[in-house]
Amino acid sequence: MLDGELKGLLAVLDESPVGISISRRADGLVLYANRRFSDLIGVALGEIVGRPAHRFFVDEAQRLRLVEHLGRKGRIDNVAVPFRRSDGSTLWAMLSIHGARFGDEDVNVAWIFDISERRQTERRLRLLSAAVEQAPVTVMVTDTDGRIEYVNRAFSEVSGYGVAEAIGQTPRLLNSGLMSPKVFRDLWKSITAGSNWQGELCNRKKDGALFWEHATVSPIKDDSGSIAHYLAVKEDITLRKDYESRLEHQANHDQLTGLPNRVLAMDRLGQAIATAHRSGKVVVVMVVILDGIGKVNDSLGFKAGDAAVVTFSQRVRLAMRKSDTLARLSGNEFLIIIGDIEAPAMAEVFAHRILDDCRQSVTIEGRDVFLSARIGMTAYPGDGTDPLVLIRNAHAATSRTEEGKRNSFRFFTPKLDEEAQARLKIESSLRGAVERQEMAVYYQPIVAAGSRRLIGAEALLRWTHPELGAVGPDRFIPVAEASDLIIPLSDWVLRRACVDACRWRRALGQFKLAVNFSPRQFRNIDLVEKILETLEDSGLPKECLEVEVTERLLMGSHNNAKIILDTIRSFDISLSIDDFGTGYSSLGYLQNFRFDTLKIDRSFVKEVGGPASSRPLAGAIIEMARALSMEVVAEGVETEEQERVLADLGCHLMQGYLFGRPMPVADFDALVAATGVG
Ligand code: C2E
Ligand code: CA
Ligand code: CA
């Protein structure tokens, strides 16, 4: 080769983007290196040529492996190798070495190609993907159809779905079904339009548990600017949500008792008022002041006082309907909101229950502690329409109560209060009235129309109050029904009446005894057993008793009633529907509940014999009863004309002043004696 040509060739090699060196295989000394080689290694050519190349290697172990490989295979292809540059930095290069002959010597020709930048990019990518993979947030990449292409580890940890389970699915995998479809519509609208979407999603894990995520979903564009993927970055915020709801709970509830506090109570009262406004019903607001806590604090310490408050609030809560609100206003002040009732007086039952509960002692640290409560009551809409005003009025009403006095509740409105106090007075004197022999059972004859033959009697309760004199059942039965007093009272009436009727049946051969029963008695299935026991004790045959109930019982939500009525009837005791045609009559009742007798209310009887217009009504009732194979008794028959018209209409049993007023047992004994057998 000509010298000039060689020089030209070497000059070209110097410009090559690849560093080239040639070293002698025998001793490893470099025979030639191009300028690119020296530039890459950062060492002057003069210090490369004539010296061994191995000092440029960083990794000695790698170098030995390469030497060994070269010895065996005669070449090395594309191995990434770090080289030490003279300034101490590292050059990452792709190294290839091929064995060759150079003149008459065996040489190794080496090419090095700078890959530092590529390596750095790769490193950055690796770092990035490790970062994404290990990020504490969930990362998901989908294609434009929403198919999942990538999820990171946090996704699996949070959702419970493995990577393989998620890839190829859509994010609907996590759908809880609890989010409004509008949320997803908005999300897709944003991201398909090229903008980010942020929001909170309630999702479901593989195990079914719900969790909350804060999500940012962004479109990812390719080089041409069109959307190629979607990226969702989501943070599990379930704990934060829990915390928030705990905070909210704390802000709205009393710490000690967990009851709603004043803030929430006001809110609930507002809602109750709005509901009552729509339904035309009444809301009663009670302020309950718990007395005696101070004493507990003084004698047993504050912890004991707190425990007493908690016990009290739990008892009151149990005495209330679920839909009503019990709140703690302050230390010993509670608020009760009773909604959805027809009249303020109906809330008295709850006041009674609370006061009854208060009479029971509370056991604190092994000691029996007695508390007492005073209740002030006020009603929407009568006493006000504003929550604050109502609470203030209820408060004002508590000041009428006397501390420590049992049964202490007062209404804000003077008229309501008067009536309530009158009922209270009746209630307290009703207790023990039987024992004090103030009660009597009167009997009113039931006769056959026309012949006026004595068929039986209705038992009617009479009370002679030591001060008030005769108190009618219409006044005291509702009061007794509001407390549990009705139960012993009814038991007593039934027992007396059965004993008396047994005597009359013996005298007359047969006798029908009608006894009134209150809805309250039908809460407990024991009623049937009690009736059977009473019948047996008295000796009155079962078929002689007729149980009178009103439509009120059938209306009530106590489903026990039907079971109990059916059971009673299964023992051959007859059932009679009283005051038929008043109130809530529904033919449906008559079909669902099988009655033997229907009593036409006095109001219909009264019209019979008057203007002809109302006759058809009584007639229709009688007709219907006949169609259902029921006996009919007309109540409150006072005139012969009523008797005649009703008999013409097909009613054959009658009760009323025309045939006899309710009378004491001795008078009825005399009546029976006068009637004689047959
Ligand atoms: P009720 O069951 O409808 O009883 C009939 C009522 O009509 C009785 O009133 C009776 O005295 C009255 N009455 C009877 N014939 C005539 C009449 O010709 N003209 C008029 N104007 N009235 C007549 P009383 O005895 O005052 O009883 C009122 C209500 O008290 C009863 O209505 C009944 O619902 C209830 N009641 C009475 N005793 C008891 C009882 O022992 N237990 C229960 N749960 N309720 C009772
Ligand atoms: Ca009756
Ligand atoms: Ca009646």
Side-chain angles (χ1 to χ4, degrees), residues 255-274:
Q255 285 224 333
L256 177 62
T257 58
L259 295 174
N261 62 12
R262 185 184 290 267
V263 178
L264 185 55
M266 293 295 289
D267 193 52
R268 296 263 180 92
L269 182 52
Q271 285 172 21
I273 288 174

PDB file of all heavy atoms in Angstrom, residues 255-274:
ATOM      1  N   GLN A 255     -70.147  13.115  72.800  1.00  0.00           N
ATOM      2  CA  GLN A 255     -69.067  12.132  72.978  1.00  0.00           C
ATOM      3  C   GLN A 255     -69.410  11.047  73.976  1.00  0.00           C
ATOM      4  O   GLN A 255     -69.160   9.879  73.732  1.00  0.00           O
ATOM      5  CB  GLN A 255     -67.814  12.859  73.459  1.00  0.00           C
ATOM      6  CG  GLN A 255     -67.116  13.641  72.372  1.00  0.00           C
ATOM      7  CD  GLN A 255     -65.635  13.416  72.444  1.00  0.00           C
ATOM      8  OE1 GLN A 255     -65.100  13.118  73.511  1.00  0.00           O
ATOM      9  NE2 GLN A 255     -64.951  13.537  71.330  1.00  0.00           N
ATOM     10  N   LEU A 256     -69.992  11.444  75.088  1.00  0.00           N
ATOM     11  CA  LEU A 256     -70.226  10.494  76.171  1.00  0.00           C
ATOM     12  C   LEU A 256     -71.257   9.434  75.780  1.00  0.00           C
ATOM     13  O   LEU A 256     -71.029   8.243  75.928  1.00  0.00           O
ATOM     14  CB  LEU A 256     -70.688  11.249  77.425  1.00  0.00           C
ATOM     15  CG  LEU A 256     -71.038  10.375  78.621  1.00  0.00           C
ATOM     16  CD1 LEU A 256     -69.830   9.591  79.092  1.00  0.00           C
ATOM     17  CD2 LEU A 256     -71.610  11.223  79.749  1.00  0.00           C
ATOM     18  N   THR A 257     -72.385   9.884  75.253  1.00  0.00           N
ATOM     19  CA  THR A 257     -73.493   8.949  75.020  1.00  0.00           C
ATOM     20  C   THR A 257     -73.593   8.493  73.574  1.00  0.00           C
ATOM     21  O   THR A 257     -74.297   7.532  73.287  1.00  0.00           O
ATOM     22  CB  THR A 257     -74.834   9.627  75.367  1.00  0.00           C
ATOM     23  OG1 THR A 257     -74.949  10.806  74.561  1.00  0.00           O
ATOM     24  CG2 THR A 257     -74.904   9.999  76.824  1.00  0.00           C
ATOM     25  N   GLY A 258     -72.893   9.197  72.674  1.00  0.00           N
ATOM     26  CA  GLY A 258     -73.011   8.856  71.256  1.00  0.00           C
ATOM     27  C   GLY A 258     -74.333   9.325  70.654  1.00  0.00           C
ATOM     28  O   GLY A 258     -74.614   9.069  69.493  1.00  0.00           O
ATOM     29  N   LEU A 259     -75.132  10.030  71.427  1.00  0.00           N
ATOM     30  CA  LEU A 259     -76.418  10.527  70.908  1.00  0.00           C
ATOM     31  C   LEU A 259     -76.170  11.759  70.037  1.00  0.00           C
ATOM     32  O   LEU A 259     -75.148  12.423  70.173  1.00  0.00           O
ATOM     33  CB  LEU A 259     -77.326  10.943  72.068  1.00  0.00           C
ATOM     34  CG  LEU A 259     -77.786   9.845  73.013  1.00  0.00           C
ATOM     35  CD1 LEU A 259     -78.562  10.462  74.174  1.00  0.00           C
ATOM     36  CD2 LEU A 259     -78.652   8.837  72.271  1.00  0.00           C
ATOM     37  N   PRO A 260     -77.111  12.076  69.160  1.00  0.00           N
ATOM     38  CA  PRO A 260     -77.011  13.337  68.426  1.00  0.00           C
ATOM     39  C   PRO A 260     -76.872  14.502  69.408  1.00  0.00           C
ATOM     40  O   PRO A 260     -77.434  14.449  70.508  1.00  0.00           O
ATOM     41  CB  PRO A 260     -78.361  13.424  67.701  1.00  0.00           C
ATOM     42  CG  PRO A 260     -78.796  12.019  67.547  1.00  0.00           C
ATOM     43  CD  PRO A 260     -78.286  11.293  68.761  1.00  0.00           C
ATOM     44  N   ASN A 261     -76.100  15.509  69.037  1.00  0.00           N
ATOM     45  CA  ASN A 261     -75.981  16.687  69.888  1.00  0.00           C
ATOM     46  C   ASN A 261     -76.973  17.752  69.430  1.00  0.00           C
ATOM     47  O   ASN A 261     -77.803  17.514  68.558  1.00  0.00           O
ATOM     48  CB  ASN A 261     -74.536  17.192  69.907  1.00  0.00           C
ATOM     49  CG  ASN A 261     -74.082  17.609  68.513  1.00  0.00           C
ATOM     50  OD1 ASN A 261     -74.882  17.734  67.598  1.00  0.00           O
ATOM     51  ND2 ASN A 261     -72.793  17.812  68.360  1.00  0.00           N
ATOM     52  N   ARG A 262     -76.827  18.930  70.000  1.00  0.00           N
ATOM     53  CA  ARG A 262     -77.785  19.991  69.706  1.00  0.00           C
ATOM     54  C   ARG A 262     -77.826  20.335  68.214  1.00  0.00           C
ATOM     55  O   ARG A 262     -78.894  20.541  67.642  1.00  0.00           O
ATOM     56  CB  ARG A 262     -77.400  21.247  70.518  1.00  0.00           C
ATOM     57  CG  ARG A 262     -78.368  22.395  70.395  1.00  0.00           C
ATOM     58  CD  ARG A 262     -77.854  23.606  71.158  1.00  0.00           C
ATOM     59  NE  ARG A 262     -77.907  23.409  72.593  1.00  0.00           N
ATOM     60  CZ  ARG A 262     -78.943  23.783  73.348  1.00  0.00           C
ATOM     61  NH1 ARG A 262     -79.989  24.337  72.791  1.00  0.00           N
ATOM     62  NH2 ARG A 262     -78.927  23.597  74.645  1.00  0.00           N
ATOM     63  N   VAL A 263     -76.641  20.340  67.591  1.00  0.00           N
ATOM     64  CA  VAL A 263     -76.564  20.701  66.174  1.00  0.00           C
ATOM     65  C   VAL A 263     -77.410  19.748  65.327  1.00  0.00           C
ATOM     66  O   VAL A 263     -78.261  20.158  64.540  1.00  0.00           O
ATOM     67  CB  VAL A 263     -75.094  20.639  65.688  1.00  0.00           C
ATOM     68  CG1 VAL A 263     -75.001  20.952  64.207  1.00  0.00           C
ATOM     69  CG2 VAL A 263     -74.224  21.575  66.512  1.00  0.00           C
ATOM     70  N   LEU A 264     -77.164  18.454  65.533  1.00  0.00           N
ATOM     71  CA  LEU A 264     -77.893  17.463  64.749  1.00  0.00           C
ATOM     72  C   LEU A 264     -79.375  17.446  65.126  1.00  0.00           C
ATOM     73  O   LEU A 264     -80.244  17.248  64.273  1.00  0.00           O
ATOM     74  CB  LEU A 264     -77.261  16.082  64.958  1.00  0.00           C
ATOM     75  CG  LEU A 264     -77.821  14.930  64.116  1.00  0.00           C
ATOM     76  CD1 LEU A 264     -77.778  15.267  62.642  1.00  0.00           C
ATOM     77  CD2 LEU A 264     -77.036  13.652  64.383  1.00  0.00           C
ATOM     78  N   ALA A 265     -79.635  17.673  66.417  1.00  0.00           N
ATOM     79  CA  ALA A 265     -81.030  17.664  66.879  1.00  0.00           C
ATOM     80  C   ALA A 265     -81.840  18.749  66.169  1.00  0.00           C
ATOM     81  O   ALA A 265     -82.977  18.518  65.754  1.00  0.00           O
ATOM     82  CB  ALA A 265     -81.084  17.871  68.387  1.00  0.00           C
ATOM     83  N   MET A 266     -81.233  19.918  66.010  1.00  0.00           N
ATOM     84  CA  MET A 266     -81.919  21.013  65.329  1.00  0.00           C
ATOM     85  C   MET A 266     -82.243  20.608  63.895  1.00  0.00           C
ATOM     86  O   MET A 266     -83.327  20.878  63.381  1.00  0.00           O
ATOM     87  CB  MET A 266     -81.030  22.266  65.299  1.00  0.00           C
ATOM     88  CG  MET A 266     -80.784  22.886  66.641  1.00  0.00           C
ATOM     89  SD  MET A 266     -82.297  23.521  67.353  1.00  0.00           S
ATOM     90  CE  MET A 266     -82.572  24.904  66.291  1.00  0.00           C
ATOM     91  N   ASP A 267     -81.271  19.945  63.291  1.00  0.00           N
ATOM     92  CA  ASP A 267     -81.436  19.487  61.921  1.00  0.00           C
ATOM     93  C   ASP A 267     -82.596  18.489  61.816  1.00  0.00           C
ATOM     94  O   ASP A 267     -83.470  18.611  60.965  1.00  0.00           O
ATOM     95  CB  ASP A 267     -80.110  18.831  61.509  1.00  0.00           C
ATOM     96  CG  ASP A 267     -80.045  18.611  60.024  1.00  0.00           C
ATOM     97  OD1 ASP A 267     -80.285  19.595  59.308  1.00  0.00           O
ATOM     98  OD2 ASP A 267     -79.771  17.471  59.605  1.00  0.00           O
ATOM     99  N   ARG A 268     -82.591  17.523  62.727  1.00  0.00           N
ATOM    100  CA  ARG A 268     -83.635  16.496  62.721  1.00  0.00           C
ATOM    101  C   ARG A 268     -85.004  17.124  62.981  1.00  0.00           C
ATOM    102  O   ARG A 268     -85.993  16.732  62.380  1.00  0.00           O
ATOM    103  CB  ARG A 268     -83.363  15.456  63.815  1.00  0.00           C
ATOM    104  CG  ARG A 268     -82.091  14.675  63.603  1.00  0.00           C
ATOM    105  CD  ARG A 268     -82.381  13.340  62.925  1.00  0.00           C
ATOM    106  NE  ARG A 268     -81.176  12.575  62.703  1.00  0.00           N
ATOM    107  CZ  ARG A 268     -80.694  11.686  63.562  1.00  0.00           C
ATOM    108  NH1 ARG A 268     -81.317  11.453  64.703  1.00  0.00           N
ATOM    109  NH2 ARG A 268     -79.599  11.016  63.282  1.00  0.00           N
ATOM    110  N   LEU A 269     -85.022  18.086  63.896  1.00  0.00           N
ATOM    111  CA  LEU A 269     -86.297  18.733  64.208  1.00  0.00           C
ATOM    112  C   LEU A 269     -86.826  19.449  62.974  1.00  0.00           C
ATOM    113  O   LEU A 269     -88.014  19.378  62.658  1.00  0.00           O
ATOM    114  CB  LEU A 269     -86.117  19.699  65.394  1.00  0.00           C
ATOM    115  CG  LEU A 269     -87.375  20.419  65.869  1.00  0.00           C
ATOM    116  CD1 LEU A 269     -88.502  19.430  66.135  1.00  0.00           C
ATOM    117  CD2 LEU A 269     -87.084  21.230  67.125  1.00  0.00           C
ATOM    118  N   GLY A 270     -85.906  20.121  62.269  1.00  0.00           N
ATOM    119  CA  GLY A 270     -86.308  20.787  61.028  1.00  0.00           C
ATOM    120  C   GLY A 270     -86.924  19.795  60.046  1.00  0.00           C
ATOM    121  O   GLY A 270     -87.963  20.062  59.448  1.00  0.00           O
ATOM    122  N   GLN A 271     -86.288  18.626  59.938  1.00  0.00           N
ATOM    123  CA  GLN A 271     -86.805  17.604  59.015  1.00  0.00           C
ATOM    124  C   GLN A 271     -88.175  17.097  59.462  1.00  0.00           C
ATOM    125  O   GLN A 271     -89.085  16.924  58.651  1.00  0.00           O
ATOM    126  CB  GLN A 271     -85.851  16.414  58.950  1.00  0.00           C
ATOM    127  CG  GLN A 271     -84.599  16.692  58.150  1.00  0.00           C
ATOM    128  CD  GLN A 271     -83.601  15.552  58.280  1.00  0.00           C
ATOM    129  OE1 GLN A 271     -83.959  14.431  58.622  1.00  0.00           O
ATOM    130  NE2 GLN A 271     -82.338  15.854  58.021  1.00  0.00           N
ATOM    131  N   ALA A 272     -88.292  16.853  60.783  1.00  0.00           N
ATOM    132  CA  ALA A 272     -89.559  16.333  61.311  1.00  0.00           C
ATOM    133  C   ALA A 272     -90.683  17.336  61.052  1.00  0.00           C
ATOM    134  O   ALA A 272     -91.804  16.960  60.701  1.00  0.00           O
ATOM    135  CB  ALA A 272     -89.427  16.045  62.803  1.00  0.00           C
ATOM    136  N   ILE A 273     -90.359  18.621  61.213  1.00  0.00           N
ATOM    137  CA  ILE A 273     -91.364  19.664  60.982  1.00  0.00           C
ATOM    138  C   ILE A 273     -91.778  19.674  59.512  1.00  0.00           C
ATOM    139  O   ILE A 273     -92.967  19.745  59.185  1.00  0.00           O
ATOM    140  CB  ILE A 273     -90.818  21.049  61.418  1.00  0.00           C
ATOM    141  CG1 ILE A 273     -90.755  21.105  62.946  1.00  0.00           C
ATOM    142  CG2 ILE A 273     -91.686  22.167  60.866  1.00  0.00           C
ATOM    143  CD1 ILE A 273     -90.098  22.352  63.499  1.00  0.00           C
ATOM    144  N   ALA A 274     -90.778  19.565  58.630  1.00  0.00           N
ATOM    145  CA  ALA A 274     -91.090  19.574  57.193  1.00  0.00           C
ATOM    146  C   ALA A 274     -91.990  18.395  56.836  1.00  0.00           C
ATOM    147  O   ALA A 274     -92.955  18.532  56.087  1.00  0.00           O
ATOM    148  CB  ALA A 274     -89.792  19.529  56.387  1.00  0.00           C
TER     149      ALA A 274
END
